[in-house]
Amino acid sequence: MKKVFSILAVAVAMMAFGNVQAQNLSVNIGYAPQSTKSTTTLMGNNTNTTMDMTGFFAGVTYNSPITRNFGVAFGLQARYNYKTITNTLLSATQTVKHTQILLDVPVLLNFGIQLGNDARVSVFAGPALTFAVKGNTHTSENVLNTSDDLNWYGENSNNQQLDLMGAAGVAFQFRTIRLFGGYRMGFLDLDKRNNVKTTNSGMFVGLSYAL
């Protein structure tokens, strides 16, 4: 967590020494499902598994122009992912709820072209540092009325909390409203075990309001 806030502090400091009037602050919300893929290697054989989660995000972005067309955007956003699985046998129902909360600190280079006085189209790409704040699996059963929680990042967990992702996409802005979308991909192995490799990826679409 300290690493995330350190990077955010550096980004804010860089903007503070730049041209403040030229910076653009926006508030963002959007849809960002996540696909977690794992490959387990045993005796030379690979087994692949995938867990897809529904995800949403909200955050803020400072865009600081370098030239008329180029800029660099520093951001901070929170993501919430979830997935619910229900299994029923006769009168017994088991419900498994996966939830995850993450913080993203993206640094995105962008290139834009004006379309008249009010519109602008741009492309962007760059890295994003991601820290998993919380992950949990809650399992409940209705007949015996039992429940259990599994902390993804507990003391004996094999899951890594820090990830480095790459993101790229396109955006269209009309006055203060901006629509954007793209794809993100994780570069780091999120499993501590030597024979298991786990990575995250997913598309995203969002809406921004420029302040």
Side-chain angles (χ1 to χ4, degrees):
M1 179 67 73
K2 292 182 180 179
K3 293 181 180 180
V4 174
F5 287 110
S6 296
I7 290 179
L8 179 61
V10 172
V12 172
M14 291 175 64
M15 292 184 290
F17 287 100
N19 184 356
V20 176
Q21 293 183 348
Q23 293 169 3
N24 180 23
L25 171 66
S26 62
V27 179
N28 318 308
I29 59 172
Y31 172 67
Q34 177 175 281
S35 179
T36 301
K37 297 182 179 180
S38 296
T39 301
T40 303
T41 303
L42 289 175
M43 301 180 65
N45 297 318
N46 293 335
T47 302
N48 299 315
T49 60
T50 301
M51 183 171 73
D52 296 320
M53 303 181 72
T54 301
F56 298 93
F57 68 87
V60 294
T61 301
Y62 281 100
N63 186 48
S64 182
I66 299 174
T67 66
R68 178 178 175 84
N69 298 107
F70 283 97
V72 58
F74 303 91
L76 176 64
Q77 71 177 20
R79 277 191 289 135
Y80 176 74
N81 299 325
Y82 71 92
K83 181 181 181 66
T84 301
I85 303 172
T86 301
N87 300 310
T88 301
L89 178 62
L90 299 178
S91 60
T93 300
Q94 181 191 63
T95 303
V96 181
K97 296 181 179 179
H98 305 288
T99 56
Q100 186 183 36
I101 298 175
L102 307 103
L103 285 179
D104 300 321
V105 183
V107 181
L108 304 175
L109 294 174
N110 53 85
F111 174 81
I113 299 175
Q114 288 294 133
L115 303 176
N117 295 325
D118 297 323
R120 182 180 179 89
V121 62
S122 59
V123 294
F124 58 87
L129 187 66
T130 296
F131 183 81
V133 178
K134 182 179 180 180
N136 185 73
T137 297
H138 179 77
T139 304
S140 60
E141 193 270 331
N142 67 327
V143 174
L144 299 178
N145 195 26
T146 59
S147 64
D148 181 65
D149 284 279
L150 174 64
N151 182 3
W152 293 7
Y153 308 107
E155 184 177 351
N156 299 317
S157 171
N158 292 312
N159 298 319
Q160 301 275 15
Q161 291 179 269
L162 193 65
D163 193 10
L164 178 63
M165 308 194 79
V170 297
F172 174 78
Q173 182 168 341
F174 181 76
R175 295 183 180 176
T176 59
I177 302 298
R178 180 171 173 262
L179 298 173
F180 61 93
Y183 189 82
R184 67 187 188 282
M185 180 174 60
F187 297 132
L188 301 184
D189 181 4
L190 302 179
D191 198 296
K192 300 175 184 178
R193 293 169 291 183
N194 294 329
N195 67 322
V196 181
K197 182 178 181 180
T198 299
T199 56
N200 286 332
S201 62
M203 51 82 68
F204 58 89
V205 291
L207 176 69
S208 294
Y209 178 77
L211 302 178

